[in-house]
Amino acid sequence: MRIGIITSGGDAPGMNAAIRAITRCALDRGAEVVGIHEGWQGVVDGGSKFRAFDWRSTGGILQLGGTILGTARSEAFRTVTGRRQAALNLALAGIDGLVVIGGDGSLTGALLLYQEWAEHLAALAADGKIPPEKAENPAPFRIVGLPGSIDNDQFGTDMSIGADTALNTIVEAVDRLQSTADSHQRTFVVEVMGRRCGYLALMGAVATGADWVLIPEEEMDSRWHHRMVEALRMGREAGRRHDVLIFAEGARHSDGLPIRAEAITEILKTRLGVEARVTVLGHVQRGGSPSAFDRVLASRLGAAAVDHILGPDPTPVMIGQIHNMPKATPLDEVVAKSHEVNTQIDHGNFEQALQMRGRSFLDSLQVLKTLARAQPKAELAERGRIAIMTGGPDAPGMNAILRTALRIARNEGQDVAGVRFGFGGLARGDVLDLGWMDVQNWINLGGSELGAVRYAMSDADIPLMAEQIKKWDIRGIIAVGGLSTYQQAMKLMQARATHKELNIPIILVPATIDNNLPATDFTVGADTALNNIIDALDKIKYTASAAHRTYVVEVMGRESGYLALASSIASGAEMQLLSEDGIDLDMLQRDIQQLRRGFAGGKKLGLVIIAEEASPYYDTDFVRRIME
Ligand code: ADP
């Protein structure tokens, strides 16, 4: 089987990781691979746009933004004549199937090509352009689509390739603006991409603690700007030193006309008397090295695409990721549903459009609206306190959890107390009252503002905790942390029979860079840790690419190999040594032989990633000496 790969439509970071995974998984399975340059236009042009790929063709591209295959918009491919020419080129090149990485438009084109395939071959045979036997009962043309779009507007996947990187870029940019805004009391208006999809604007606003968001899916009545101005005014009165307002380029007034940045600044100036600065993030959102998440996503989807295209089922599908697993959805359904949301928005049916975006989108919008308030909706009720705390070791994102928990609870009139240093602090009575504005700037701070340290709970601590729970009238605990925090909560639960004060709900929120907790796909903090690791690995790759060197890199994760495995996928490491696999001498021997062959074949750099507790016998230094 010969498989073609194209990237089409708007480019997105992570497309290269998909190209690499498709190429290498296909070659590994004995298929041939042809990289087709410049998207659908390249398929129409043929000739030098088709290039056979071998293993090395996709070496060293994992960390590159954009796409090595290039992408173009193609008017020709929108016509039957153009697609017939494309079919001719594909047939002449002996290509049996295509993996198409792109957005809605690109996948719509792919579906058409599939549907017209037999027709095109018959016409080409009749014209004498291909041998007649090729058109007799032709096998269906195999098509697999992968979602590639920074807008994250595609049906059939929770995330499309590129969206996470774009979101990280937005978060970084807004963080920088916030730090300058704070020193000068400024208002920033930030425009992000998203013509019909507010994903980047909404999640960017949640992730940066922005004060207002405008998205295409939300209905704007004629009074939307009054509400916006009022909210910002209240924020200033409550002591907020700066405001950030994020809007998607596709946000519209009630009459359907686009909301421009100038309109927003004008409103802020006349109604609020503030000079707002506008930042249009533009194409920087498309650029840059893909995030760890995008690299892993693209690699997994690429591998699944090859499985499907080499498998028995000829139905054209898009492979997306749903609930953290690759999932195939028939392409006609993907195309129809994606178009339907767009049509709903164009026709002003916002309610339906929002529903179609799904639960997590709706939830996030609701959460944002609560978090961005200047003060809680409800008066403080006499219902005791909820205690929030973080257990050690700390993980990035803990402060965002605390901020959200406090505001969501307080908004409903529930009093919240902060407990410093987790359950240990509770035993000591290290408790403080926390108010709405106390957590204002916590969103992007690393570590934990309440303190998170390792703590060994002793039986003697339990009555002390019971006492403090009574003293502070604590009616529930939200404990943020890793395995040791879970175990401490468990001990408290077991002591309920002897201490009635402990008969209160305890909610655990998984936060550890190790990603080793049950009942969740991801723990808070793991993604940041992974991005830190691949940043470092990318630097190693750049500095070392001139020499013949092997780097042995130890990563954290305790008994969990998640960071080691995911960072290996995201960096293209040659070897990974995980606790789940263990390390034995045969395995080292085999991996080293392979590395040797790689060097003999022109490889310049070897990367070995070892989890900190991969083996009780063979530690990092042992592996390094063997490599030497
Ligand atoms: P994206 O794939 O990111 O949505 P576009 O909408 O620009 O980007 O589509 C990329 C290319 O896919 C177009 O230039 C065109 O060649 C092809 N395409 C898009 N829509 C169609 C369609 N309805 N019929 C045929 N080809 C299409």
Side-chain angles (χ1 to χ4, degrees):
M1 180 138 182
R2 191 172 289 160
I3 300 173
I5 309 175
I6 66 166
T7 51
S8 167
D11 63 320
M15 282 182 162
N16 284 327
I19 296 169
R20 174 177 177 272
I22 296 159
T23 303
R24 294 191 169 181
C25 291
L27 292 172
D28 198 49
R29 302 268 296 264
E32 291 175 34
V33 178
V34 177
I36 305 175
H37 293 252
E38 313 305 341
W40 286 122
Q41 189 56 44
V43 186
V44 175
D45 294 346
S48 65
K49 300 284 168 64
F50 286 50
R51 291 181 211 162
F53 268 13
D54 62 16
W55 198 269
R56 302 294 312 153
S57 309
T58 56
I61 64 167
L62 198 52
Q63 70 277 20
L64 303 180
T67 154
I68 58 159
L69 287 175
T71 156
R73 313 262 176 205
S74 170
E75 282 314 308
F77 195 76
R78 289 176 185 273
T79 66
V80 179
T81 328
R83 291 195 291 277
R84 184 146 306 162
Q85 183 62 34
L88 174 63
N89 291 331
L90 291 167
L92 291 179
I95 290 177
D96 309 289
L98 265 185
V99 183
V100 180
I101 312 160
D104 276 356
S106 308
L107 300 187
T108 306
L111 184 62
L112 281 176
L113 183 68
Y114 166 83
Q115 288 162 343
E116 298 166 351
W117 186 246
E119 211 177 294
H120 286 315
L121 292 192
L124 291 166
D127 290 349
K129 291 187 173 156
I130 57 170
E133 59 274 16
K134 280 211 174 198
E136 278 164 29
N137 300 321
F141 191 64
R142 305 294 291 265
I143 293 265
V144 175
L146 294 187
S149 151
I150 64 164
D151 292 352
N152 204 28
D153 57 353
Q154 285 166 284
F155 180 84
T157 191
D158 291 338
M159 285 295 277
S160 51
I161 297 167
D164 183 67
T165 306
L167 187 55
N168 279 332
T169 304
I170 292 168
V171 169
E172 202 186 312
V174 175
D175 275 356
R176 283 171 195 231
L177 290 176
Q178 309 233 40
S179 60
T180 126
D182 225 21
S183 20
H184 293 283
Q185 288 226 7
R186 281 202 175 125
T187 300
F188 279 101
V189 175
V190 183
E191 180 185 318
V192 303
M193 284 185 169
R195 267 172 302 163
R196 291 199 189 83
C197 182
Y199 175 84
L200 290 177
L202 174 58
M203 299 305 171
V206 171
T208 58
D211 305 295
W212 200 257
V213 70
L214 300 170
I215 56 173
E217 292 91 339
E218 212 184 6
E219 176 146 28
M220 303 287 169
D221 60 20
S222 57
R223 291 189 56 80
W224 69 265
H225 35 90
H226 294 278
R227 283 196 301 275
M228 175 182 80
V229 165
E230 207 32 46
L232 297 184
R233 189 200 315 279
M234 284 168 68
R236 284 296 167 98
E237 281 167 14
R240 210 149 67 191
R241 284 192 48 84
H242 68 263
D243 311 294
V244 175
L245 198 152
I246 300 183
F247 78 105
E249 59 183 335
R252 302 161 205 216
H253 292 283
S254 51
D255 57 8
L257 290 175
I259 299 176
R260 301 259 172 254
E262 301 77 58
I264 300 174
T265 51
E266 191 57 35
I267 290 167
L268 295 177
K269 191 171 173 183
T270 47
R271 305 262 180 77
L272 214 54
V274 303
E275 287 289 342
R277 324 252 151 162
V278 175
T279 302
V280 180
L281 290 179
H283 272 74
V284 296
Q285 294 163 91
R286 267 193 203 293
S289 181
S291 67
F293 181 91
D294 272 329
R295 297 185 201 187
V296 174
L297 174 70
S299 302
R300 291 182 72 197
L301 296 187
V306 171
D307 276 348
H308 194 277
I309 213 165
L310 296 179
D313 179 7
T315 317
V317 296
M318 184 193 85
I319 310 242
Q321 175 160 291
I322 293 188
H323 298 148
N324 202 31
M325 287 303 286
K327 182 168 187 307
T329 308
L331 199 54
D332 47 5
E333 191 183 339
V334 170
V335 167
K337 291 268 174 54
S338 294
H339 284 242
E340 198 181 323
V341 188
N342 291 346
T343 313
Q344 300 286 15
I345 292 172
D346 288 344
H347 291 178
N349 301 330
F350 297 100
E351 197 53 41
Q352 286 92 322
L354 263 179
Q355 291 297 336
M356 290 181 74
R357 287 278 182 244
R359 262 301 289 280
S360 91
F361 195 92
L362 279 169
D363 282 355
S364 302
L365 188 57
Q366 214 45 55
V367 166
L368 177 82
K369 286 183 173 175
T370 300
L371 296 185
R373 296 177 66 94
Q375 42 182 277
K377 175 180 73 188
E379 293 289 314
L380 210 50
E382 295 291 320
R383 280 202 302 251
R385 296 184 176 86
I386 287 181
I388 55 175
M389 61 170 77
T390 49
D394 60 339
M398 280 182 159
N399 286 320
I401 302 173
L402 294 172
R403 178 180 187 267
T404 306
L406 179 130
R407 287 199 169 174
I408 299 279
R410 184 59 196 83
N411 199 45
E412 302 298 330
Q414 174 63 54
D415 197 3
V416 178
V419 177
R420 289 160 49 78
F421 305 109
F423 286 111
L426 182 61
R428 293 191 300 275
D430 201 349
V431 181
L432 67 155
D433 272 313
L434 278 180
W436 193 265
M437 286 315 270
D438 293 332
V439 295
Q440 172 67 15
N441 297 326
W442 286 19
I443 188 98
N444 56 8
L445 302 179
S448 164
E449 289 295 294
L450 287 179
V453 292
R454 285 182 201 272
Y455 152 67
M457 190 189 277
S458 77
D459 289 343
D461 287 350
I462 299 219
L464 299 178
M465 285 188 230
E467 207 174 289
Q468 293 298 335
I469 288 172
K470 191 166 172 202
K471 177 177 162 200
W472 288 88
D473 196 9
I474 292 170
R475 312 245 182 122
I477 295 176
I478 296 175
V480 182
L483 196 56
S484 55
T485 304
Y486 279 37
Q487 286 163 337
Q488 290 154 15
M490 187 78 183
K491 273 198 175 166
L492 247 58
M493 226 182 82
Q494 286 158 347
R496 279 176 172 172
T498 44
H499 297 89
K500 65 176 185 338
E501 296 83 357
L502 300 178
N503 283 293
I504 54 173
I506 303 178
I507 311 294
L508 298 169
V509 185
T512 160
I513 64 166
D514 301 340
N515 201 26
N516 61 346
L517 294 175
T520 184
D521 287 336
F522 290 106
T523 57
V524 174
D527 185 57
T528 305
L530 202 51
N531 277 328
N532 289 342
I533 295 171
I534 67 157
D535 269 358
L537 295 179
D538 283 355
K539 289 190 178 114
I540 290 177
K541 288 179 110 171
Y542 282 124
T543 56
S545 60
H548 278 131
R549 280 215 181 127
T550 296
Y551 283 80
V552 179
V553 179
E554 181 186 292
V555 303
M556 291 178 108
R558 314 195 58 196
E559 71 294 335
S560 156
Y562 171 79
L563 287 177
L565 176 60
S567 63
S568 291
I569 296 175
S571 65
E574 279 72 19
M575 280 170 65
Q576 46 290 130
L577 304 170
L578 316 175
S579 27
E580 287 81 351
D581 263 358
I583 304 179
D584 63 48
L585 292 174
D586 288 345
M587 174 176 154
L588 282 174
Q589 174 96 348
R590 199 187 56 229
D591 283 353
I592 287 166
Q593 290 306 340
Q594 197 165 349
L595 207 50
R596 271 203 184 154
R597 280 196 297 276
F599 280 126
K603 181 187 281 301
K604 289 178 178 149
L605 168 79
L607 204 50
V608 180
I609 298 186
I610 175 168
E612 60 181 347
E613 287 175 20
S615 155
Y617 314 111
Y618 309 126
D619 63 3
T620 306
D621 194 54
F622 174 83
V623 173
R624 178 190 65 80
R625 279 180 285 137
I626 290 206
M627 289 292 155
E628 225 163 59

